[in-house]
Amino acid sequence: MTASISIRNLSYSPPIKRTGSGSVTSRILYIPEWDVQPGERVFLYGPSGSGKTSLLNLVCGIANADSGQIIVNGTDLCTLSARAKDRFRMQTTGVIFQQFNLLPYLSVNDNIKLGYAFSGAGSTTAVPVDTLVKQLMDRLKLPRTCLHQKAACLSFGQQQRVAIARALIKSPPLIVADEPTSALDAETRDDFISTLLECSASSNSTVLFVSHEHSLGAHFDRLVDLRSINKVSHSVHGGNSHVC
């Protein structure tokens, strides 16, 4: 069985920072080997600054690795151009960003539909997109009265749920979530995670969920401390040298 995510000899340094004394850069990730299986729900945790968001950005093709392989659903992202990475992400990955990345001047309806339109899902499903939008809003406890409101007019928690609906609407093979429950109270947070996992299970989507709240791991199949797979302090040279 082909892994949903397969990482080999991944090395990553963030963009160079300029200081008064020159340029400073340092490697923050070196992952020799890590796999996530199809349909698995993985909870990735670690302290702030440990590289969790950087790893998600690499898996999504948003950031470029220094070297190594990042194979997502059988495709090595390191072989793709920047444009091809964007297209691949839109077709195969539902991303729930920490900062939502909604378009504030568009309605809730249009923001959710963006995830569907860019994915090309319309050619593979018989369910009308308007029906899918309303079904997701109901499951995420978003009142339909906000359907035509601009995203900028919503509460913080509502914006978060709209971002979730946008990621889920295309039933992607992979769902990546970066601290998506940070603004929710405990009861709403647990309801949201249950809904996310229920929706992902219905489409057999793999879930990679990142948070610093270790207690949330009880909802997931597997808990992974990033520090257990990140060997940056023991980093070695060699392996695949092409830049991702």
Side-chain angles (χ1 to χ4, degrees):
M1 180 183 294
T2 301
S4 181
I5 301 170
S6 184
I7 287 175
R8 296 293 183 272
N9 296 320
L10 170 63
S11 178
Y12 174 70
S13 304
I16 294 174
K17 294 181 179 180
R18 303 291 179 182
T19 68
S21 58
S23 300
V24 175
T25 186
S26 60
R27 177 159 49 180
I28 63 171
L29 290 174
Y30 177 70
I31 302 177
E33 183 176 359
W34 189 52
D35 294 317
V36 176
Q37 300 306 319
E40 194 173 18
R41 286 91 67 88
V42 176
F43 181 80
L44 183 70
Y45 65 95
S48 181
S50 60
K52 300 185 302 296
T53 295
S54 293
L55 179 56
L56 290 193
N57 287 339
L58 289 162
V59 168
C60 293
I62 296 171
N64 295 324
D66 301 327
S67 61
Q69 290 182 302
I70 308 169
I71 302 172
V72 177
N73 293 316
T75 296
D76 187 352
L77 298 184
C78 297
T79 67
L80 302 181
S81 67
R83 180 174 294 182
K85 284 181 186 178
D86 290 342
R87 185 166 55 250
F88 182 78
R89 179 174 62 255
M90 289 186 291
Q91 293 173 346
T92 67
T93 308
V95 185
I96 305 171
F97 295 99
Q98 194 171 18
Q99 301 300 323
F100 314 145
N101 290 359
L102 300 179
L103 296 180
Y105 52 85
L106 290 184
S107 68
V108 167
N109 186 48
D110 288 340
N111 266 286
I112 296 174
K113 283 183 177 179
L114 278 177
Y116 188 89
F118 289 132
S119 72
S123 61
T124 61
T125 178
V127 181
V129 63
D130 288 325
T131 300
L132 291 174
V133 170
K134 291 174 182 176
Q135 288 175 346
L136 276 172
M137 289 185 67
D138 291 344
R139 295 178 80 175
L140 290 165
K141 298 181 181 179
L142 276 166
R144 292 191 183 184
T145 52
C146 73
L147 187 63
H148 299 293
Q149 283 185 277
K150 290 183 179 180
C153 298
L154 302 179
S155 69
F156 188 85
Q158 287 176 329
Q159 289 183 31
Q160 191 169 45
R161 281 171 274 170
V162 171
I164 294 161
R166 182 182 59 188
L168 292 174
I169 194 169
K170 57 188 176 183
S171 298
L174 174 64
I175 296 171
V176 171
D178 185 9
E179 300 272 9
T181 58
S182 57
L184 304 180
D185 58 58
E187 182 179 356
T188 306
R189 178 194 64 199
D190 290 344
D191 286 345
F192 157 67
I193 293 176
S194 296
T195 301
L196 171 62
L197 296 181
E198 179 185 341
C199 291
S200 66
S202 66
S203 58
N204 199 34
S205 299
T206 304
V207 177
L208 178 56
F209 188 107
V210 162
S211 178
H212 66 278
E213 296 183 72
H214 187 269
S215 62
L216 300 182
H219 296 274
F220 295 82
D221 299 331
R222 178 158 62 112
L223 281 66
V224 177
D225 186 336
L226 179 57
R227 293 167 295 184
S228 71
I229 61 172
N230 182 21
K231 309 300 181 183
V232 70
S233 59
H234 316 109
S235 132
V236 295
H237 297 287
N240 230 328
S241 61
H242 60 286
V243 175
C244 180

